[in-house]
Amino acid sequence: FFSQKQTLNIIRIPPTLSFHITTHTFCKSDKSITHDQKLHLALARTDTSPLPKHQLENDTNAMSELFQLIDPLIEIYLTVIIKPIVKQHEIFYTKLNTIVRSAIDKKGLPKWCTANFITYVRTILIIPCLLSFSRGMRLVPSLIVLLVDFGDFLDGVVARYWVDERKKDGAATTTHGTKKVVSSWTVSHRDATYGGFVDAVCDKAFVVPCWIYLLSDVVGTRFEILQYFVLWFLILAETASGCVRFKAFYTSTGVPAPKVNNLNFSTSAVKADHVGKAKQTFEMVGTALFTITFTRLIGLAILIPAVPLAYESVRRKIANRTMYVDYNAGHDSKELNHQRLKFWMQAKGMGSKLIVGVTNENDQLNACACACVDSVVTDVPQVIDLAFLEEYKIGYVVCRRAEVGMVSEEVLEAQRCLAIGEDGVAFAVEAKGSRKQ
């Protein structure tokens, strides 16, 4: 064990075994132990057993309490500071959109000039930006960052332009013959949402490397610790946001999530897309000013408001919302057909997890075989009440309007029952007493 010829690989401690060795097992005095022997003993004393369950629960509860303290402060920040800024931001970009769109409508665009093309081009600009940084330039990277920010606005205008053009062409286009190959729902949905996905990911692919390089400029400057905190927080937040985007895109169902009327899943005063737009503006403008030496502190002052926005953006993306459907809900037929699967996919699209309630083993196997289903509950009650929802941590029950009888009145009063209409629009079903009022 203590041979100089032996390597550290000889020491193998099972992950579930607490392995302790004391020095007195091998010698009477610590002075007789060499440095390598002490290293071996230190490794041998290491307790690699998993943490007790109660300790993990305490750590989780502590984190939950911390987030419960932070979230109200973020909401106050959004309501008092960000909401007025968002209004002015929207007014400015609405006018700019009108000007740019009118110019595009007059002259038109070549077919190769698509929104995705603009997205790819502005992402590639990270190469000249980093090369400029490496050569000691500061004004050129700053201008590139501002150009990329404008490109983010421009690709949205171009995307809406081509959508309108396709609608015009579609009205006069007829289909000849029969297609022998039809794309699946999943492929069609990913094709339709690819533009928004790649736009968000490419934003992060440009700005995160800029922040990583700017970390090297922080040493020896004023407010050094604050600069490190802001840059590292934004790097980690945007990286996490990008990972969540990737997972959401490649695990999404093949059906768009229904629009929900008379119910806002978020209780925030600022919508998610407004938070994203404000965050993007603070990050890009702040980065552009941060790169220039004499405007560094101004850029830092603009980047600081982006920190809580980045936190809020990630929090909303990873928020858990469990939806519940009864196996026989959503369609009159008892068979597991495409209409039932579509209903389940719509329900899953409104949340992050889907639970299906079944009453027999065959339905259980059918539900478990569906990719959009996360869990299956057996022996469900005939009437779904709040106790059932709390037991399985279910957020909302999803059904059709004619199937509202499957939930109790208290669930309706809590606005935790969503009905999907024939038009594909979902709405919160109100209790009878609420409708009378």
Side-chain angles (χ1 to χ4, degrees), residues 263 386 389 395-396 409-417 429 431:
L263 179 66
L386 285 178
L389 299 185
Y396 298 90
E409 192 72 14
E410 59 180 359
V411 174
L412 299 180
E413 292 176 355
Q415 286 195 321
R416 296 177 65 176
C417 177
V429 181

Side-chain angles (χ1 to χ4, degrees), residues 19 49 95 102 104 133 155 188 228 244 278 315 318 368 394 428:
F19 195 68
S49 59
K95 293 181 179 179
S102 61
I104 293 176
F133 275 132
D155 62 14
S188 300
Y228 275 127
V244 174
R315 187 190 68 82
I318 63 176
C368 289
I394 297 170

Side-chain angles (χ1 to χ4, degrees), residues 6-24:
Q6 291 176 322
T7 63
L8 295 178
N9 292 330
I10 295 176
I11 304 176
R12 299 184 183 277
I13 304 176
T16 59
L17 178 64
S18 178
F19 195 68
H20 300 279
I21 299 178
T22 63
T23 58
H24 299 285

